[in-house]
Amino acid sequence: MPHSATRPGICRICSAHCGVLATVTDGRLTKVAGDPDNPMFKGYTCIKGRALPEIHNNPARLLHSQKRQADGSYARITSERAMDEIAARLQQLIAEHGPRSVAMYLGTNGLPYPASALMGNAFMRGIESPMFFTANTIDQPGKQIALAAHGHWLGGDIDFNEADSWMLVGTNPLVSKAIGIPGQNPSQNLRAAIDRGMKLIVIDPRRSQTAARAAIHLQPRPGEDVTILAGIINIIIGEQWHDRAFIDENAAGFDDLARAVVGFTPDYVARRADVPKAQLLEAASVFATYGTKRGMVNAGTGANFAMHGNLLEYLCLCLTTICGRWQRAGERVTRPNTLLPAFTAKAQAHPPYEGWGYGERLRVRGLTDTVSGMPTAALADEILLEGDGQVRALICIGGNPMAAWPDQRKTHRALESLDLLVTLDTEMSLTSQLADYVIAPMMQMETPAMTMGSELIKYYTSGTGIPAAYGQYVPRIVDPPEDSDLIEEWLFFLGLARRMDLELWFVNFFGGGGGRFMESPPIVLQMNGETALTTEDLFAQMCATSRIPLDEVRKHPHGKIFDVDVVVAERDPDCSDKLDVGNIHMLAEVAAVRAEDFVAERSDSAFPFRLIPRRHQNFMNSSGTALAALNRGKPYNPVYMHPDTVNALGLESGGSVRVTSNHDSVPAVLEADDTLRRDVVAMHHAFGGMPAEDGNFREHGTNVGRLVPTDVDYDAITGLPRQGNIAVAVNRLTE
């Protein structure tokens, strides 16, 4: 008879970290379901989490590390031997070209394994290389840039579950589970909020799943989010709906902000963004005056991709601040920490700080290190540009640059030119197909898990993180497959360090600038190359100063919401710090946006549509697209278009088309979608094969990043190129 056992687990596909029940039958993960005994998730999980057995047992999964042979094929290599060879090659490159010749890229699939990200970063500091890059700077780096320019409110966010209104800009948290609506069962959270009377305002060119449930949905032309937010701020100031007492005590630069947005009149904004003036006025009124005036504003990837992401996020913070939408003294702390250190929330500002223009200076486009991290969109250029400082080796953790980075052809040239490319990957992804070594790691349920990472994300932007003193820890649930040679990612870096005689130190943060503004000093751990550690040992050290001891969290395998009764403290009597709603750099960009000739911008008849991104319900970026349990017979990413536009062009839903920007073109499958504006098309990012494989786009999808140049329209601070609001043409493809 088969032997089965079901135990509590944590799904780590996204930052929500859902509590689940995992069933193991005869040593194989066979079922993952929601855990009804988990007090935070109450039985909720998404289709991606329920597909974890298929992901774990994927026939294409790598059970042994691979080494590229002279003829381009791959052969099995033990992880120990691979570490020997990689360490020796790295030492040679560092000796010949210096530490800067070695770079590391941390993708989104590396974040669920906190020890991996920390140890990878520690390794880079151990070899004294500044070239540590993450997915953050090709997604939403403006969040951290804006916080540096604006400052932080140390009392924390308003609780979504107590808000009267909430504004979401270019984000769909019912699918992404990331921003605004708490990711712990977002659909249920939104339903409960609406039932008690909360008014949701959504700004999105698409009637997304979230927008469909909004009280007000502004469906503008893409790329006009800054215009709309500036207009709403102008309306609120003009109607004197702002919180003058809060501003006088806690904010600087209000008069400068008011002058900067005065040109964004309701008539101008309505005409430029193509939204009804009455709806714009209603959105401003509801947000500023409805109920007891509690609520916040958050933006997502869609809006950040369309240029002006730093300014967009800054205006979100300014709108929140001028309406006084932060937790006040005596109110409950929304995210009080559990596995992170305790802190004292105060009803006062942490002032602005240096956010960019410091640290390592790249050799291209005048880019530097920032609070959001090193500019990832410039890494391909740093690899291709010859001379002193050229990157010659790249290590990728949990990422797939060939699918995710902008300008796929340039990325391809760069990765092929490296002296050493190492990936830590569960299968032979597009990037791993170019690698010299592919290290096969353990997967989710084969390693211990805890919810610290889901707490920590709140330090990167408002509207994220666990809205309670919740914590969960689970041990390994299933052993790696028999006869496999898998290694935990952090142990791979420790193995390299031992071979290279490095002493590693690391701080408790997840890339970017999180450690700059944590209420408590970051935890610093010393790793001696000869010390034998388990993941459990490492977690214990990471949680050594946690509010709730890790041993106490362990006692509650289904997770627990702990009785942490903390409220926001009064402002320090001698505190003179203020939030800045009049940052010179940001307001100069407001003026630049107002001066744009938006009519001329849209007048190119050769590219009549605007391409925007969208989230996929079944995938975390492109992970799992080949699995039938997730793709449901559609492993590609269509180009979505309104059915009236499909008919007007004489095209057919399901037909083959070519999508062309002024940089490149890609083949795609057309699909009708009446949730879009008629002048907009949408696609999921991070799909597709190699450029030479375009003929198989119905099997592996279309790489949208190929349409994006990295050195034309890009942010001067973060290097983020325009990846949304892309001018494109869509024409029938003759196959």
Side-chain angles (χ1 to χ4, degrees):
M1 292 288 293
H3 177 265
S4 292
T6 300
R7 296 163 54 189
I10 299 174
C11 173
R12 288 172 280 171
I13 285 178
C14 76
S15 62
H17 282 35
C18 295
V20 299
L21 293 177
T23 300
V24 176
T25 304
D26 293 339
R28 284 170 57 90
L29 184 67
T30 54
K31 182 179 180 181
V32 169
D35 181 359
D37 294 322
N38 185 290
M40 178 62 68
F41 295 91
K42 302 175 183 177
Y44 169 79
T45 188
C46 74
I47 186 173
K48 297 182 284 291
R50 295 191 294 274
L52 276 171
E54 286 80 8
I55 295 172
H56 262 258
N57 302 318
N58 181 2
R61 181 186 177 185
L62 291 175
L63 300 181
H64 300 268
S65 297
Q66 304 290 312
K67 178 182 178 181
R68 190 178 184 90
Q69 306 300 297
D71 62 359
S73 63
Y74 286 86
R76 182 183 299 182
I77 185 173
T78 67
S79 56
E80 291 292 326
R81 177 66 181 272
M83 286 187 283
D84 291 340
E85 296 183 8
I86 293 168
R89 185 71 180 113
L90 288 172
Q91 286 178 309
Q92 180 184 9
L93 288 170
I94 292 169
E96 294 178 2
H97 305 288
R100 195 188 191 277
S101 65
V102 180
M104 181 174 291
Y105 172 68
L106 172 65
T108 52
N109 283 335
L111 295 179
Y113 306 90
S116 304
L118 299 179
M119 192 65 78
N121 181 268
F123 175 79
M124 293 299 288
R125 285 183 289 106
I127 63 173
E128 299 183 347
S129 172
M131 306 299 277
F132 181 77
F133 298 79
T134 76
N136 189 51
T137 50
I138 52 171
D139 187 1
Q140 300 176 66
K143 293 187 181 304
Q144 293 86 56
I145 300 296
L147 281 168
H150 172 270
H152 298 253
W153 181 251
L154 296 180
D157 293 353
I158 285 174
D159 189 344
F160 180 87
N161 296 314
E162 298 174 355
D164 298 301
S165 63
W166 209 277
M167 186 180 296
L168 298 174
V169 187
T171 184
N172 185 16
L174 291 188
V175 173
S176 65
K177 303 172 183 63
I179 304 291
I181 303 170
Q184 297 73 31
N185 198 340
S187 182
Q188 184 183 79
N189 284 319
L190 179 57
R191 185 183 304 111
I194 292 173
D195 287 347
R196 63 174 169 75
M198 191 199 79
K199 302 291 187 182
L200 178 66
I201 304 163
V202 173
I203 302 170
D204 198 319
R206 173 176 172 253
R207 191 179 70 255
S208 66
Q209 292 91 330
T210 305
R213 297 171 66 175
I216 302 171
H217 173 208
L218 279 71
Q219 194 168 7
R221 292 188 177 106
E224 297 297 349
D225 305 299
V226 163
T227 301
I228 293 171
L229 288 177
I232 289 175
I233 291 172
N234 187 37
I235 293 167
I236 289 172
I237 294 174
E239 296 291 340
Q240 297 187 21
W241 291 334
H242 52 287
D243 189 332
R244 172 56 74 176
F246 182 86
I247 294 167
D248 287 346
E249 184 175 21
N250 299 294
F254 175 75
D255 291 341
D256 293 329
L257 174 65
R259 284 190 292 269
V261 300
V262 72
F264 291 85
T265 65
D267 287 329
Y268 172 82
V269 173
R271 181 166 61 94
R272 176 167 175 169
D274 192 27
V275 295
K277 176 181 174 181
Q279 193 182 41
L280 178 71
L281 292 168
E282 182 187 13
S285 175
V286 167
F287 183 76
T289 69
Y290 178 70
T292 57
K293 305 179 183 179
R294 291 179 62 79
M296 301 185 73
V297 53
N298 306 117
T301 301
N304 275 266
F305 267 16
M307 298 297 293
H308 303 298
N310 303 333
L311 177 58
L312 167 77
E313 295 289 349
Y314 182 73
L315 292 180
C316 288
L317 292 171
C318 289
L319 178 53
T320 300
T321 292
I322 68 169
C323 292
R325 302 301 180 79
W326 302 105
Q327 288 293 76
R328 306 295 185 90
E331 295 179 336
R332 183 181 59 85
V333 176
T334 302
R335 299 182 176 89
N337 282 359
T338 302
L339 290 172
L340 286 172
F343 64 93
T344 300
K346 297 180 181 181
Q348 65 187 55
H350 181 297
Y353 47 90
E354 184 181 39
W356 61 90
Y358 58 79
E360 183 68 19
R361 182 169 295 276
L362 298 188
R363 299 178 299 154
V364 296
R365 300 193 280 286
L367 298 169
T368 68
D369 198 0
T370 71
V371 289
S372 58
M374 295 284 281
T376 295
L379 182 49
D381 295 286
E382 288 288 330
I383 295 170
L384 290 169
L385 181 62
E386 297 181 356
D388 186 38
Q390 182 178 9
V391 172
R392 298 172 180 270
L394 176 64
I395 303 172
C396 292
I397 324 171
N400 187 4
M402 276 298 298
W405 288 5
D407 201 335
Q408 190 192 40
R409 293 187 196 275
K410 180 191 285 186
T411 299
H412 191 193
R413 295 195 304 272
L415 298 185
E416 280 195 318
S417 72
L418 286 164
D419 292 343
L420 177 66
L421 174 59
V422 179
T423 62
L424 289 88
D425 210 333
T426 59
E427 60 184 43
M428 294 299 289
S429 66
L430 294 182
T431 304
S432 291
Q433 292 172 36
L434 302 173
D436 298 290
Y437 296 88
V438 185
I439 306 302
M442 294 183 189
M443 294 184 72
Q444 286 195 30
M445 298 295 173
E446 296 160 357
T447 67
M450 63 173 176
T451 52
M452 177 188 280
S454 196
E455 290 182 45
L456 188 56
I457 195 171
K458 74 168 180 284
Y459 290 108
Y460 289 80
T461 185
S462 62
T464 59
I466 304 175
Y470 167 81
Q472 187 179 11
Y473 169 90
V474 296
R476 304 165 197 267
I477 287 175
V478 62
D479 292 328
E482 291 185 8
D483 301 323
S484 64
D485 175 23
L486 305 175
I487 186 171
E488 291 192 64
E489 292 163 333
W490 74 269
L491 283 170
F492 168 76
F493 292 110
L494 183 59
L496 293 184
R498 286 173 173 166
R499 289 162 173 81
M500 298 171 70
D501 196 27
L502 302 175
E503 186 173 75
L504 300 186
W505 292 75
F506 63 88
V507 293
N508 202 9
F509 81 111
F510 282 17
R516 285 176 164 252
F517 49 83
M518 290 175 67
E519 293 94 337
S520 300
I523 304 166
V524 181
L525 303 167
Q526 184 176 11
M527 296 294 303
N528 187 290
E530 298 303 317
T531 301
L533 283 177
T534 66
T535 307
E536 292 83 351
D537 295 331
L538 201 57
F539 281 6
Q541 292 189 53
M542 291 168 65
C543 298
T545 58
S546 61
R547 179 189 292 275
I548 306 297
L550 181 60
D551 285 344
E552 178 62 28
V553 175
R554 289 177 192 263
K555 295 176 183 177
H556 306 278
H558 295 273
K560 181 177 175 61
I561 298 175
F562 291 90
D563 185 15
V564 175
D565 185 19
V566 290
V567 298
V568 179
E570 295 284 349
R571 179 189 183 98
D572 291 337
D574 59 348
C575 177
S576 60
D577 295 327
K578 293 194 174 186
L579 303 172
D580 185 4
V581 297
N583 179 271
I584 294 174
H585 181 95
M586 296 296 167
L587 296 191
E589 192 172 347
V590 171
V593 171
R594 182 61 177 81
E596 290 173 353
D597 187 345
F598 63 90
V599 175
E601 162 110 13
R602 303 188 184 110
S603 63
D604 190 347
S605 60
F607 302 103
F609 302 105
R610 293 288 166 153
L611 174 62
I612 64 172
R614 63 185 283 181
R615 294 284 187 178
H616 199 297
Q617 181 76 35
N618 292 20
F619 305 121
M620 176 64 175
N621 296 328
S622 61
S623 299
T625 57
L627 296 177
L630 290 174
N631 68 41
R632 307 292 174 87
K634 192 167 72 176
Y636 54 85
N637 53 330
V639 53
Y640 299 97
M641 177 184 284
H642 194 280
D644 290 351
T645 309
V646 173
N647 293 333
L649 293 176
L651 301 172
E652 304 83 30
S653 185
S656 300
V657 296
R658 180 165 292 279
V659 182
T660 304
S661 72
N662 60 7
H663 180 67
D664 208 333
S665 68
V666 290
V669 180
L670 183 64
E671 186 168 316
D673 180 2
D674 65 3
T675 68
L676 290 164
R677 287 174 54 105
R678 288 164 176 78
D679 55 355
V680 169
V681 296
M683 294 190 76
H684 307 290
H685 277 244
F687 278 70
M690 296 290 187
E693 299 175 324
D694 277 359
N696 297 323
F697 64 91
R698 287 183 178 270
E699 297 177 15
H700 50 58
T702 301
N703 187 267
V704 180
R706 201 186 307 169
L707 301 173
V708 178
T710 59
D711 53 1
V712 180
D713 287 340
Y714 63 90
D715 182 79
I717 292 174
T718 66
L720 178 70
R722 180 193 296 270
Q723 296 181 94
N725 189 29
I726 303 169
V728 297
V730 180
N731 298 291
R732 186 183 302 276
L733 176 65
T734 303
E735 298 182 78

